[in-house]
Amino acid sequence: MIYRSAHDIVFEDVFLDMGGLVPDVRLLLKLEGLNPAGSIKLKPAVALVESLEAQGLRPGQRIIESSSGNLGIALSAVCAAKGYDLTVVTDPNATTAAVRTMRALGARVVVISERDTHGGYLASRINFIVESIARDPDLLWPNQYANPANPIAHHERTARAIHHEVPDADVLVIGVGTTGTLMGCLSYYREHSPATRLVAVDAEGSMLFGGPSGKRHIPGLGASRIPELFVDTGEFEKVVVPEPESIGMCRLVARRYGLLVGGSTGTVLAGVLRIAATLAEGTTVVAVSPDLGERYLDSVYSDSWVAERYPGAHVEPRERWAIV
C-alpha cells in the first residue's frame, strides 16, 4: 500500500495474544507503536493540527505544545510533513531518545526543570507556554489537555478499531495521562457496547484519581494537574500502579513474550494483574499498549537508572509478577 504522508500510516488491527499472563483469560494487547511516530499519540497529533487548520492555521505559522515525549514526537512528525514550525515543551523525565527524535524531526525542544507545587512538571510546562504566548501572540497552542479533538480521535479511531476487531471484549484497560484515550473510548463504548467494563490505570504519584501527588520518573501516564478533558463519570474503574511494578512488568514481557514495551504499557499490564482476581474464566480483555520499548532502553531497562531512582526496589521478572 502506498501512503501520501507518513502520518497516515497507522495500523489499527494489530493485537498480540498475551496468553498465560492471566490464566484462563483471553488477554489481547493492542499494539499502538507500529507507526512512524512510534506511539498512539500520532492519532491525536493529526487531529490537533487539523483542529488548528480548521481555525485558519497556515504553513509557516508556529505551534507550541507541552509533552512528556510521545505526543511531542508525533506532533514533530506531523508538523514536519505539513510545514509548520513547532516548539515542544518537555521536562527531565522525557527520555533522551525522545528529545533527540523531536529535534531530528525539526522541532525546537525546551526542557523545563522546575517542578510544580505537586511535585511534577506539567503545570510548570503549561505556565511556560502561557507566558510564551503572552509575549508572542502569533504562537498557537493546540492544548492536548483541553482540546476535544484529542478524545474525538480516540472515539473515531482507537475505540472503533478495538470494537471492530474484538467485538466480544468484556474488559478494556487503558492508561491515563491527558485522559484523551480514556474519554474517547468511554464515549464510544457508552454508545456501542455499554456492557464492556472499562478500567483506567494510573501511575502512583499522579493526582488524576485523587491520590497524593509525588515524584514520578516514567513519562507517559499520570499528571500533576487535572486535564480539562477529564470527567470522572463513575462509568470506569480506577487502578493505581507503583512505578517499580510497571518496570517489572516491562521486563517480564520482554523476557517471556519477546516484546519490548514502553513504561506506560508496563503500567497498563500491571493494572490487568491487579484486577485479575475479578476476571471470570473465559473473559476477553483488551489492553491498550501506547508505545514500544526502544526509547526506554536507557531508563526502564537500565539497571543503573532504576537503582538510582528506586533504591531497594525489586524489578527483575519473577513469578510473582504473573499469576501462574
Side-chain angles (χ1 to χ4, degrees), residues 243-272:
E243 287 189 331
E245 198 168 315
S246 304
I247 295 168
M249 181 56 69
C250 288
R251 295 179 176 207
L252 174 67
V253 171
R255 298 181 190 181
R256 180 176 292 188
Y257 297 92
L259 177 70
L260 281 179
V261 296
S264 298
T265 302
T267 305
V268 169
L269 289 174
V272 172

Side-chain angles (χ1 to χ4, degrees), residues 41-119:
K41 292 292 189 176
L42 184 57
K43 289 175 283 188
V46 171
L48 290 168
V49 172
E50 288 179 347
S51 74
L52 293 181
E53 290 174 332
Q55 299 171 38
L57 175 66
R58 302 179 306 279
Q61 285 194 279
R62 292 174 297 123
I63 299 171
I64 189 169
E65 183 58 282
S66 162
S67 170
S68 61
N70 281 337
L71 189 277
I73 292 171
L75 271 180
S76 298
V78 174
C79 288
K82 287 178 171 285
Y84 301 125
D85 181 277
L86 174 68
T87 296
V88 179
V89 183
T90 189
D91 60 62
N93 283 344
T95 67
T96 300
V99 173
R100 292 179 66 182
T101 300
M102 288 185 276
R103 287 176 173 152
L105 288 166
R108 174 178 177 243
V109 181
V110 177
V111 180
I112 302 298
S113 57
E114 180 183 353
R115 291 189 180 271
D116 56 36
T117 56
H118 297 291

Side-chain angles (χ1 to χ4, degrees), residues 68 91-94 115-116 118-123 125 145 176-178 201-209 211-227 240-244 246-247 264 267 305 309-310:
S68 61
D91 60 62
N93 283 344
R115 291 189 180 271
D116 56 36
H118 297 291
Y121 297 100
L122 179 54
R125 290 180 353 217
Y145 312 101
V176 292
T178 66
V201 184
D202 197 11
E204 189 175 86
S206 166
M207 59 185 298
L208 284 172
F209 295 162
S213 60
K215 289 185 179 180
R216 290 171 289 110
H217 303 287
I218 302 175
L221 299 190
S224 57
R225 170 186 176 275
I226 304 298
V240 177
V241 173
E243 287 189 331
S246 304
I247 295 168
S264 298
T267 305
W305 185 92
R309 288 158 180 79
Y310 314 97

